């Protein structure tokens, strides 16, 4: 299938498409075969045989069905005429390097198929092609086995010569029926043996014969030329010399055999292509292309001579002009005249087809690049806006504001950030914030919360928006725990130690919508935003400050919470707040998304596409670290709201802390226990009021919008 091909292509390191009129190295084919054997666990012979079967079907679908079907009346005739087919195709495909075939019929009905090729390692394609031909055209099954494989010494250079024993083992009923119909459709003389009648004397003079067949030549066993056509003498004047040898003026191009009578008689059923030797041409003709002749060798036993009846091998009118020849030089009965004209038009059509194919491939590559750039653009857009909102904006639709009755908002900032900015280079601040935000952004993917925005050192996250989920508080709480852990890996450029952050959470209703047209932003509005900002600004370093609504959402869950007590919150009056310490249901590695969580018993969540655990254990959905944030997919570390009856036994046993385990401490004790050195305590105290006022002004600005 397509997936297997893509995997095979990647393993072999080859391009994904191949053009019809391009020539490719055999190493690509052999490399693909080797990788396919590894992928499929089969031998190379099996892959090549199946490739041969498919290649035959491909040729039929490509418009060569009738041409192949009419090559011969049986399998041996078909195979004998394959060289003629390759010769015809070479007129259009100049660089085609086709193999050569020779058939020997045995008395027992089998035949020896000789395969010659200078392309090593591809001989096993032949059984696939011949087997498919026998089954499709002649309704028979065959077996082929290699009986000999050697280097053909009679051929020029080291060429592969493989001998196959072909046995037609099964005739199907359809084949027998077809043969009987062919047999009984004739009557009388048609069924008798045909015997030709020859004249007593050849009624044609030599002059007429040499003009009627202007490119023939007759030579004996010593290759001495006895006769030649008039146009061949005009092209090769040396043939007019008495007792010259044919191999002095010509070389055999196809089949690649040595120029001897014995070698030629072995391939007597093949077409022969001969080419003039340049060094034997007249000096004024050496700039022309060498003349090539294509024709048939006919052995005359009574004369012990060989007749080579040939025609010029010309592919187009351009080649005819380069040879300084004309259509009139070719005998009127020779179909080479029509072939040159037809092939000239065919070559023009093939060139146009090749150009269209190349353009199609270029468009395909450009389309792939366009899709890749589109994907990058969409990922960037989805990182700025919720996916469904971004899609509506792309379609030109108006995005209406939506009200969310329940969500949890998180704010965080860096302790003493103003002092750090005053004492550091700007590039140091950028590096510090970038290293911190990269880790925070990864955690949004792990816990599937939505990042609203960053303003300076402030980081804003919401759970339950834009996709409402009931576990929004647990998600954001686990995300906040991850932020505290991640901040320990970010270096303070002033002290050289880890930075410290404050985190505040609040739950409540909000109004969300897109603001602006040029750089539109998905913004949240409402008092919940203000309260969450107050929780952060009134928090303590490395602490997660919770409002009463968040505490109510997290109690009876696996969260360890400390009660801070009543504090005075600007604009809100007196509030009882809490500090989130940890989640006892998961480890730090699971909080950070660095390992999978073992399966635990739990109840199904009513959140889309997720299963949430029971109140005894929290479950984490691990996402790939580099996966882009998708605000429409939600998984969680957290549990759904459970009834008090479903609370853990160990939490029910801690009666003095109620149903949630916490420790009451006053603010002074918390301050003394916090891990802030004296220098940072001083910096924090100096900048606390500034940070509070800054946060208030930002929040007020958001509300005005």
């Amino acid at each position: 299938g397509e997936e297997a091909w893509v995997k095979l292509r990647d393993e072999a390191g080859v391009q994904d498409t191949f053009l019809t009129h391009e020539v490719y190295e055999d190493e690509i084919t052999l490399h693909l075969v080797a990788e396919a054997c590894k992928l499929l666990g089969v031998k190379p012979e099996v892959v090549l045989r199946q490739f041969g079967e498919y290649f035959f079907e491909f040729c039929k679908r490509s418009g060569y069905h009738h041409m192949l079907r009419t090559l011969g009346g049986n399998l041996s005739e078909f195979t004998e005429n394959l060289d003629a087919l390759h010769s015809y195709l070479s007129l259009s495909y100049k660089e085609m390097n086709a193999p050569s075939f020779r058939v020997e019929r045995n008395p027992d009905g089998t035949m020896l198929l000789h395969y010659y090729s200078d392309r090593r390692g591809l001989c096993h394609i032949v059984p696939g092609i011949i087997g498919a031909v026998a089954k499709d055209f002649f309704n028979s099954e065959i077996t082929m086995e290699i009986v000999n494989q050697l280097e053909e010494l009679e051929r020029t250079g080291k060429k592969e010569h493989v001998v196959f024993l072909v046995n037609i083992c099964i005739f199907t009923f359809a084949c027998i029926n077809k043969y009987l119909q062919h047999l009984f459709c004739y009557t009388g003389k048609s069924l008798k043996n045909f015997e030709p009648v020859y004249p007593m004397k050849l009624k044609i003079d030599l002059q007429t014969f040499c003009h009627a067949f202007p490119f023939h030549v007759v030579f004996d066993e010593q290759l001495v030329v006895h006769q030649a056509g008039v146009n061949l003498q005009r092209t090769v004047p040396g043939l007019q010399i008495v007792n010259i040898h044919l191999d002095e003026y010509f070389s055999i191009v196809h089949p690649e055999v040595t120029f001897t009578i014995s070698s030629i008689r072995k391939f007597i059923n093949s077409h022969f292509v001969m080419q003039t030797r340049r060094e034997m041409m007249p000096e004024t003709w050496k700039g022309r292309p060498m003349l090539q002749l294509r024709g048939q060798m006919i052995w005359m036993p009574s004369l012990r001579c060989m007749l080579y009846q040939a025609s010029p091998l010309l592919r187009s009118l351009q080649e005819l002009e380069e040879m300084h020849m004309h259509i009139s030089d070719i005998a009127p009965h020779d179909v080479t005249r029509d072939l040159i004209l037809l092939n000239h038009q065919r070559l023009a059509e093939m060139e146009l087809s090749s150009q269209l194919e190349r353009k199609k491939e270029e468009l395909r590559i450009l389309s792939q690049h366009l899709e890749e750039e589109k994907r990058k653009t969409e990922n960037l857009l989805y990182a700025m806006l919720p996916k469904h909102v971004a899609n509506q904006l792309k379609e030109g639709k108006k995005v209406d504001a939506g009200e969310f009755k329940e969500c949890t908002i998180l704010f965080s900032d860096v302790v003493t950030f103003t002092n750090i900015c005053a004492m550091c280079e700007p590039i140091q601040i950028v590096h510090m914030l970038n290293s911190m935000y990269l880790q925070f952004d990864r955690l949004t993917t792990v816990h599937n919360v939505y990042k609203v925005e960053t303003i300076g050192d402030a980081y804003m996250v919401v759970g339950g928006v834009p996709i409402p989920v009931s576990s929004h508080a647990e998600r954001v709480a686990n995300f906040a725990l991850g932020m505290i852990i991640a901040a320990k890996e970010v270096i303070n450029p002033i002290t050289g130690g880890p930075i410290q952050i404050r985190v505040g959470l609040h739950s409540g209703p909000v109004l969300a919508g897109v603001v602006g047209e040029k750089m539109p932003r998905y913004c949240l509005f409402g008092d919940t935003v203000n309260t969450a900002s107050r929780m952060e600004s009134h928090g303590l370093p490395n602490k997660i400050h919770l409002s009463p609504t968040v505490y109510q959402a997290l109690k009876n869950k696996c969260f360890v919470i400390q009660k801070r007590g009543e504090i005075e919150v600007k604009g809100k009056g007196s509030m009882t707040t809490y500090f989130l310490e940890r989640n006892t249901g998961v480890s730090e590695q699971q909080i950070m998304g660095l390992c999978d969580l073992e399966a635990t018993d739990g109840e199904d969540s009513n959140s889309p596409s997720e299963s949430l655990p029971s109140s005894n254990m929290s479950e984490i959905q691990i996402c790939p670290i580099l996966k882009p944030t998708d605000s429409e997919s939600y998984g969680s570390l957290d549990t759904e709201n459970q009834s008090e009856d479903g609370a853990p036994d160990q939490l029910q046993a801690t009666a003095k802390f109620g149903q949630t385990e916490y420790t009451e401490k006053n603010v002074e004790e918390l301050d003394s226990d916090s891990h802030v050195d004296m220098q940072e305590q001083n910096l924090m105290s100096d900048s606390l009021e500034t940070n509070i006022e800054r946060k208030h002004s930002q929040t007020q600005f958001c509300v005005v919008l």
Side-chain angles (χ1 to χ4, degrees):
E2 185 66 24
E3 294 181 357
W5 164 244
V6 172
K7 185 177 180 180
L8 173 61
R9 186 187 67 208
D10 294 340
E11 291 292 334
V14 300
Q15 62 266 40
D16 54 349
T17 56
F18 295 90
L19 302 180
T20 304
H21 301 281
E22 292 291 331
V23 179
Y24 300 94
E25 297 292 335
D26 287 339
E27 285 73 11
I28 297 178
T29 302
L30 297 177
H31 197 28
L32 282 171
V33 170
E35 294 299 331
C37 293
K38 296 178 182 178
L39 181 63
L40 304 176
V42 296
K43 295 182 179 180
E45 294 82 359
V46 177
V47 176
L48 290 173
R49 185 183 181 95
Q50 291 184 351
F51 172 76
E53 295 174 358
Y54 175 79
F55 181 72
F56 172 68
E57 295 296 330
F58 172 78
C59 291
K60 287 179 18 179
R61 293 197 304 267
S62 300
Y64 295 97
H65 178 267
H66 294 291
M67 186 182 299
L68 293 171
R69 184 66 186 87
T70 55
L71 276 185
N74 53 53
L75 187 60
S76 61
E77 293 177 357
F78 176 92
T79 311
E80 287 175 343
N81 286 279
L82 280 178
D83 283 12
L85 175 62
H86 292 157
S87 177
Y88 167 74
L89 294 177
S90 65
L91 297 176
S92 302
Y93 303 93
K94 293 183 180 181
E95 300 184 25
M96 184 177 70
N97 186 9
S100 181
F101 297 93
R102 180 167 64 91
V103 176
E104 293 182 13
R105 296 180 178 88
N106 297 326
D108 59 356
T110 63
M111 68 178 184
L112 293 177
L113 174 60
H114 295 259
Y115 164 83
Y116 302 90
S117 176
D118 56 359
R119 303 166 64 186
R120 297 178 179 276
L122 302 178
C123 64
H124 294 285
I125 296 178
V126 177
I129 297 177
I130 300 301
V133 169
K135 185 176 182 179
D136 189 275
F137 289 164
F138 308 111
N139 298 308
S140 58
E141 297 287 342
I142 66 170
T143 60
M144 294 183 63
E145 58 176 320
I146 297 177
V147 295
N148 198 2
Q149 189 169 6
L150 46 85
E151 299 292 340
E152 180 59 49
L153 299 180
E154 294 183 353
R155 294 168 64 85
T156 57
K158 292 185 178 180
K159 308 297 180 181
E160 187 177 32
H161 177 196
V162 182
V163 182
F164 295 94
L165 176 61
V166 183
N167 182 26
I168 303 177
C169 55
I170 299 176
F171 281 97
T172 63
F173 177 78
C175 179
I176 298 175
N177 186 41
K178 182 178 180 181
Y179 174 75
L180 292 176
Q181 290 179 358
H182 176 75
L183 183 65
F184 288 108
C185 68
Y186 299 100
T187 59
K189 291 184 178 180
S190 301
L191 297 178
K192 296 181 180 180
N193 294 331
F194 170 75
E195 294 183 2
V197 177
Y198 300 102
M200 297 297 294
K201 185 178 179 181
L202 186 62
K203 296 295 183 178
I204 183 172
D205 60 90
L206 291 177
Q207 185 177 358
T208 303
F209 188 89
C210 290
H211 279 88
F213 302 99
F215 289 96
H216 83 280
V217 62
V218 177
F219 56 96
D220 59 19
E221 293 177 308
Q222 285 72 39
L223 305 181
V224 176
V225 176
H226 294 277
Q227 182 178 317
V230 292
N231 287 343
L232 186 57
Q233 296 178 36
R234 183 184 299 115
T235 306
V236 187
L239 294 179
Q240 294 178 327
I241 303 174
V242 179
N243 294 330
I244 66 105
H245 289 75
L246 187 62
D247 58 344
E248 295 178 3
Y249 288 87
F250 286 91
S251 61
I252 298 179
V253 177
H254 180 87
E256 296 180 5
V257 297
T258 54
F259 210 142
T260 62
I261 286 292
S262 60
S263 298
I264 293 174
R265 291 185 65 179
K266 281 187 177 182
F267 289 84
I268 197 68
N269 292 324
S270 300
H271 75 279
F272 278 76
V273 177
M274 295 202 305
Q275 178 176 293
T276 55
R277 296 184 183 272
R278 185 174 296 277
E279 64 272 12
M280 301 302 293
M281 290 289 98
E283 190 67 28
T284 56
W285 292 9
K286 289 187 177 180
R288 303 179 186 178
M290 291 297 95
L291 173 65
Q292 285 189 341
L293 300 176
R294 182 183 64 179
Q296 178 185 7
M297 292 287 185
I298 303 174
W299 175 246
M300 298 179 290
S302 61
L303 301 176
R304 305 299 296 177
C305 289
M306 186 74 71
L307 169 64
Y308 180 49
Q309 174 57 34
S311 300
L313 180 57
L314 300 171
R315 297 177 176 85
S316 64
L317 295 175
Q318 181 181 355
E319 292 186 5
L320 187 70
E321 293 176 350
E322 292 174 353
M323 293 296 302
H324 295 270
M325 297 178 63
H326 302 86
I327 292 291
S328 59
D329 294 330
I330 304 173
H333 63 79
D334 195 341
V335 295
T336 304
R337 284 174 167 241
D338 300 329
L339 186 61
I340 293 174
L341 297 174
L342 292 174
N343 198 58
H344 182 78
Q345 180 181 0
R346 174 177 169 80
L347 289 176
E349 294 175 352
M350 288 182 60
E351 179 61 24
L352 179 60
S353 175
S354 178
Q355 293 179 5
L356 291 176
E357 190 176 19
R358 287 193 293 268
K359 291 297 182 182
K360 180 181 178 181
E361 178 63 15
E362 292 175 2
L363 289 176
R364 188 191 66 82
I365 295 175
L366 289 176
S367 177
Q368 286 184 346
H369 291 168
L370 180 61
E371 288 296 326
E372 180 66 18
E373 295 302 322
K374 180 181 178 182
R375 185 184 63 81
K376 293 179 181 179
T377 303
E378 288 180 346
N379 289 340
L380 181 61
L381 182 61
Y382 295 154
M384 300 172 61
L385 294 170
K387 188 172 183 179
H388 70 283
V389 174
N391 291 336
Q392 288 181 341
L393 291 177
K394 286 196 303 181
E395 296 172 1
K397 298 179 180 179
K398 182 180 179 181
V399 181
D400 297 328
E403 181 180 0
F404 297 85
K405 296 183 178 180
E406 290 185 2
C407 72
T408 299
I409 297 178
L410 175 148
F411 277 97
S412 73
D413 75 340
V414 178
V415 177
T416 68
F417 181 71
T418 304
N419 301 76
I420 295 175
C421 292
M423 301 174 64
C424 294
E425 294 293 331
I427 191 63
Q428 293 178 294
I429 304 300
V430 172
H431 288 163
M432 181 190 72
L433 292 179
N434 185 58
S435 62
M436 179 177 67
Y437 288 160
L438 285 177
Q439 299 196 52
F440 290 175
D441 291 344
R442 186 185 67 83
L443 289 174
T444 60
T445 302
V446 173
H447 300 284
N448 282 300
V449 293
Y450 181 69
K451 174 185 175 181
V452 181
E453 62 179 348
T454 57
I455 304 176
D457 64 321
Y459 197 92
M460 182 180 179
V461 165
V462 63
V465 176
I467 305 299
V469 289
S470 58
S471 59
H472 53 84
E474 295 96 311
R475 296 167 187 259
V476 178
N478 283 314
F479 173 78
L481 292 171
M483 294 179 74
I484 298 297
I485 299 172
K488 297 177 182 178
E489 301 178 7
V490 182
I491 302 302
N492 188 327
I494 296 179
T495 63
I499 65 170
Q500 294 182 321
I501 62 173
R502 282 189 297 262
V503 182
L505 279 70
H506 179 64
S507 296
V510 295
L511 184 68
V514 178
V515 177
E517 293 182 354
K518 181 180 180 181
M519 292 187 66
R521 300 294 299 176
Y522 189 73
C523 298
L524 306 180
F525 306 96
D527 188 63
T528 302
V529 180
N530 295 338
T531 306
S533 178
R534 295 293 188 273
M535 291 298 100
E536 176 267 315
S537 59
H538 287 75
L540 296 177
N542 284 345
K543 291 290 185 178
I544 303 172
H545 199 195
L546 308 181
S547 69
T549 56
V550 180
Y551 166 74
Q552 292 296 326
L554 297 181
K555 72 177 183 178
N556 301 331
K557 308 292 174 64
C558 297
F559 293 96
V560 177
I561 301 174
Q562 292 180 341
K563 183 177 181 180
R564 183 179 186 181
E566 289 191 1
I567 63 171
E568 193 69 24
V569 179
K570 184 176 181 180
K572 299 296 179 182
S574 179
M575 293 181 63
T576 301
T577 59
Y578 306 83
F579 287 122
L580 175 62
E581 291 294 321
R582 63 183 180 275
N583 186 341
T584 60
V586 291
S587 64
E588 287 189 0
Q589 288 77 11
Q590 294 165 342
I591 288 286
M592 298 300 294
L594 301 178
C595 64
D596 295 331
L597 185 65
E598 294 181 358
T600 57
D601 296 332
E603 299 176 1
D604 292 337
S605 166
N606 52 14
S607 299
S609 303
E610 65 170 336
S611 297
L612 295 176
S614 66
S615 58
N616 291 326
M617 183 67 69
S618 298
E619 182 179 348
I620 184 170
Q621 176 180 336
I622 304 299
C623 300
I625 293 177
L626 298 178
K627 177 183 176 183
T629 303
D630 185 353
S631 58
E632 292 189 356
S633 61
Y634 278 89
S636 177
L637 274 166
D638 314 303
T639 63
E640 294 287 354
N641 293 329
Q642 304 286 341
S643 63
E644 293 185 1
D645 296 336
D649 295 337
Q650 64 269 27
L651 294 182
Q652 294 177 355
T654 56
K656 63 179 180 178
F657 300 116
Q659 290 184 338
T660 301
E661 183 179 0
Y662 64 88
T663 305
E664 295 188 18
K665 294 185 179 180
N666 55 34
V667 178
E668 290 77 7
E669 290 173 336
L670 288 172
D671 291 340
S672 62
D673 290 342
S674 60
H675 302 290
V676 184
D677 55 28
M678 294 304 297
Q679 179 184 3
E680 293 220 21
Q681 284 187 15
N682 295 333
L683 294 175
M684 182 268 293
S685 59
D686 294 338
S687 61
L688 177 59
E689 187 63 30
T690 304
N691 287 337
I692 293 176
E693 294 299 328
R694 176 169 56 85
K695 293 294 181 179
H696 290 172
S697 62
Q698 292 172 354
T699 305
Q700 292 294 333
F701 178 71
C702 182
V703 172
V704 170
L705 282 177

